[in-house]
Amino acid sequence: MAEEKRPVAQTDADPESSAESLPIIEEKYADETLKLIQEHGDSFGPLTPEAEKKLKRKLYRWVVLLVLIVNLMLFVDKATLSYSSLLGIFEETGIDNDQYNNLNTIFYTAYLVAQWPGHYLMQRLPFGKFVGGTIFVWSVLIFLHCTASNYGGLIALRFFLGATESILVPAMEITLGMFFTREEQSTLQPIFWITCMGCGIPAGFIAYGLLFTHGSILPWKFFMIITGGLTFLLSIYCWFLYPSNPAQAPFLTLEEKVQTTRRVHESNRGSIEQKQFKKSQFLETIRDPVSWLFALQSFTIMISNNLAYQQNLLYLGIGVSNLGSTLVGVASGGFSVAMCIVAAILLHRFPNKNAYWASWWCIPSVVGGIVSIALPWSNSIGILAGIILAGATFGISYIIALGWTTSSATGYTKKLTRNVMFMVGYGIANIISPQIWRERDAPRYYSAWIVQIVISWIGTPVILLVIRFILAKRNAERRKWIAEQEALGHPGEGYIEELDGNSGEMVVRKVDIALLDLTDLQNKYFIYPL
């Protein structure tokens, strides 16, 4: 491939090692943090346990907190249409339930269409500026919802909002992968998802307060103005402080940049960021069956995602008032947050069991779904509990799988391509899922509940367990191969071909294999998380 070259001279290489058996790539195809490690890697010794704790605390304050806030606003803004259904959007724009569902389908159609161009721009442009600029456009689109007076105007706004927001969850997942080890990423997934599952708490209280407003402007427009304003302020902050990678994080000292980069490379044995699109990695992703299985399970679990948009209407259907529905949404969000905290604790205590935990968190949804369709309609409290239980935990399964999708691949182009495939599955499912909630099936929606139970909450765990089986088999083969290589004295290194600044000649330098931006199939030293 274009990125693979043979050496023309050697420096910094062990003369006893054979370059024939080690991968060699041009410098421009190496990891973006290569120069940082080459220039300053020898300036700092290993991290002491106390220094590592201090560094991790700083990363949690700057990276995790920022990602949590962005994700919270993302899902609050996604929920604007749902809460607007309680705040007067139906009356002012003249839409009906079927058109409401169509707006969600349109949102995710754009979500799907924008995946590949969005990921391409994310790779080619400065990562932090791209995220900040995207959030700014998204805030403007939320503001513009106030100008919509009919179904046609809402169609255009929901389409462009879906296209704009489509890249942000993958971007935040990549950010976590840049700054944290694989073990830390696994624990962080449910914490990250707290802001999605709990977005109903702030959104519900805002909507509850707005229901007491009276005037010529209906409350749903004030809801858009409040959330759009908060998102606009967030975009300004992200433009200046959202990190592109550890080497360019404005809040880290030079030593912290080096140590953060080292920690991630040692744990992941893969690249952090790479700006060149590599056709070979794209093709490998398409040929890898694991990529397709992750995309398939994204589709199956997200068939149930429209439940979040239907819940307020379901609450009204069983006799809960508009005001009551906002408070039930708050309670439901609180329960979901509690479940995310439990999930994070379990993932930390029992690591490397992604498939098992993702399967486990589908069980409450199955129970809630069965309760919702099995209880008599007169038992409104029981049905309400079933609806809340069904929607409270399957999102944990989704986010565990999303994090696993990224952490089980190396090679930056491969990661991005696999993310695109995952989000395509997500987008197709969300295009379909509003359509299973047909107005003629109200109020019980038996067919929608059955589809969710069978395809989403039973089918998804089966796929995830198949993925675990495949990756466990690969790991067994790799551990045997690694033991053989270590016995031969090969610790896992490669060569970077670059122009020597002093001599002006092309030379190759030996570096850790993690800096070469190889894929997981090319780099047999990579052990898959399970």
Side-chain angles (χ1 to χ4, degrees):
M1 307 306 298
E3 60 264 32
E4 296 174 359
K5 296 280 187 178
R6 297 186 60 81
V8 294
Q10 292 189 28
T11 63
D12 295 344
D14 181 355
E16 298 298 321
S17 299
S18 170
E20 296 289 333
S21 61
L22 298 176
I24 307 163
I25 67 168
E26 291 181 38
E27 182 182 16
K28 68 177 181 179
Y29 293 111
D31 190 83
E32 286 290 299
T33 61
L34 172 66
K35 285 189 177 181
L36 175 72
I37 297 301
Q38 282 186 331
E39 294 174 3
H40 305 289
D42 295 334
S43 303
F44 308 103
L47 271 175
T48 63
E50 186 58 36
E52 185 171 21
K53 287 180 182 179
K54 183 179 178 181
L55 176 60
K56 286 168 66 176
R57 285 195 296 267
K58 187 169 185 178
L59 292 175
Y60 273 87
R61 285 197 310 271
W62 282 94
V63 179
V64 175
L65 184 59
L66 178 57
V67 165
L68 290 178
I69 293 171
V70 173
N71 201 49
L72 174 65
M73 290 311 304
L74 177 67
F75 281 91
V76 168
D77 286 351
K78 275 189 177 183
T80 51
L81 192 64
S82 175
Y83 282 97
S84 293
S85 68
L86 303 175
L87 299 173
I89 195 172
F90 277 58
E91 294 82 355
E92 184 156 353
T93 61
I95 63 173
D96 57 30
N97 279 358
D98 285 339
Q99 289 173 327
Y100 171 82
N101 288 334
N102 289 341
L103 290 174
N104 285 321
T105 295
I106 289 162
F107 178 95
Y108 285 106
T109 300
Y111 208 94
L112 174 63
V113 170
Q115 281 303 313
W116 187 251
H119 275 81
Y120 179 78
L121 291 173
M122 182 167 65
Q123 183 175 25
R124 301 295 293 173
L125 298 175
F127 188 82
K129 300 298 184 188
F130 174 78
V131 172
T134 301
I135 295 172
F136 171 76
V137 175
W138 142 35
S139 72
V140 171
L141 288 167
I142 291 293
F143 279 130
L144 288 174
H145 275 65
C146 296
T147 67
S149 59
N150 54 45
Y151 180 51
L154 288 172
I155 286 176
L157 287 166
R158 298 307 290 181
F159 180 87
F160 287 113
L161 185 65
T164 303
E165 292 186 1
S166 66
I167 199 64
L168 287 170
V169 169
M172 289 183 282
E173 283 290 336
I174 289 169
T175 300
L176 292 177
M178 289 177 175
F179 287 87
F180 295 95
T181 66
R182 286 195 314 198
E183 296 76 15
E184 291 162 353
Q185 289 176 59
S186 179
T187 304
L188 282 171
Q189 292 305 322
I191 296 174
F192 173 55
W193 210 238
I194 282 174
T195 48
C196 164
M197 306 294 280
C199 73
I201 298 174
F205 278 125
I206 293 170
Y208 181 79
L210 289 174
L211 281 169
F212 289 97
T213 62
H214 302 285
S216 58
I217 300 176
L218 291 181
W220 73 272
K221 290 187 175 180
F222 284 119
F223 192 86
M224 297 292 180
I225 291 169
I226 292 169
T227 56
L230 292 172
T231 305
F232 174 74
L233 295 175
L234 179 62
S235 72
I236 296 173
Y237 183 88
C238 288
W239 179 264
F240 293 104
L241 288 175
Y242 198 98
S244 292
N245 57 55
Q248 299 173 25
F251 47 81
L252 296 179
T253 66
L254 178 60
E255 180 176 4
E256 289 168 342
K257 292 175 181 179
V258 171
Q259 300 292 10
T260 299
T261 302
R262 278 182 182 166
R263 290 178 74 247
V264 174
H265 281 155
E266 289 170 3
S267 169
N268 301 355
R269 303 294 284 174
S271 63
I272 289 177
E273 187 185 18
Q274 220 292 315
K275 288 299 184 184
Q276 302 293 326
F277 176 81
K278 299 180 180 179
K279 184 180 177 181
S280 60
Q281 293 193 10
F282 170 80
L283 294 174
E284 179 184 305
T285 312
I286 300 300
R287 297 187 188 111
D288 189 346
V290 173
S291 301
W292 291 101
L293 288 170
F294 273 120
L296 178 60
Q297 68 79 37
S298 176
F299 171 81
T300 56
I301 192 72
M302 283 295 106
I303 283 291
S304 60
N305 194 42
N306 201 250
L307 177 60
Y309 299 95
Q310 299 295 330
Q311 279 180 315
N312 284 326
L313 298 178
L314 291 172
Y315 300 152
L316 294 175
I318 59 176
V320 181
S321 67
N322 281 4
L323 280 172
S325 293
T326 63
L327 296 180
V328 170
V330 171
S332 176
F335 178 66
S336 298
V337 167
M339 293 300 97
C340 286
I341 294 171
V342 172
I345 293 170
L346 291 173
L347 282 163
H348 180 71
R349 292 286 301 274
F350 305 99
N352 218 34
K353 293 178 171 57
N354 289 315
Y356 298 148
W357 286 125
S359 300
W360 167 261
W361 290 109
C362 283
I363 295 174
S365 294
V366 172
V367 173
I370 292 173
V371 166
S372 297
I373 59 177
L375 289 181
W377 188 242
S378 58
N379 190 346
S380 58
I381 299 298
I383 293 174
L384 179 64
I387 294 170
I388 292 173
L389 185 62
T393 62
F394 73 86
I396 299 173
S397 304
Y398 165 78
I399 198 61
I400 290 173
L402 176 56
W404 193 18
T405 301
T406 303
S407 65
S408 62
T410 61
Y412 199 69
T413 299
K414 182 170 184 178
K415 279 188 176 185
L416 293 183
T417 305
R418 183 176 282 184
N419 268 344
V420 170
M421 295 174 68
F422 187 99
M423 299 311 292
V424 165
Y426 174 95
I428 293 173
N430 278 286
I431 290 170
I432 296 171
S433 63
Q435 305 308 317
I436 69 175
W437 297 89
R438 298 172 298 184
E439 192 168 9
R440 66 173 180 269
D441 294 331
R444 297 308 301 260
Y445 296 103
Y446 287 116
S447 59
W449 284 109
I450 291 170
V451 167
Q452 291 178 137
I453 292 168
V454 175
I455 295 179
S456 296
W457 304 328
I458 295 177
T460 299
V462 172
I463 299 169
L464 291 171
L465 292 171
V466 171
I467 293 173
R468 179 184 171 90
F469 174 80
I470 294 171
L471 298 185
K473 185 177 179 182
R474 290 182 183 178
N475 280 350
E477 296 169 351
R478 286 174 181 228
R479 288 192 172 96
K480 180 179 178 181
W481 181 86
I482 290 171
E484 294 171 352
Q485 296 303 305
E486 289 177 346
L488 295 172
H490 298 160
E493 295 173 323
Y495 288 103
I496 297 291
E497 185 180 76
E498 61 185 3
L499 184 67
D500 186 272
N502 296 321
S503 66
E505 297 180 354
M506 293 299 294
V507 297
V508 293
R509 300 184 189 278
K510 185 183 287 187
V511 298
D512 188 277
I513 200 166
L515 289 164
L516 300 185
D517 191 46
L518 301 179
T519 68
D520 52 284
L521 295 183
Q522 293 170 333
N523 177 13
K524 293 186 178 181
Y525 286 94
F526 177 78
I527 298 297
Y528 294 96
L530 300 178

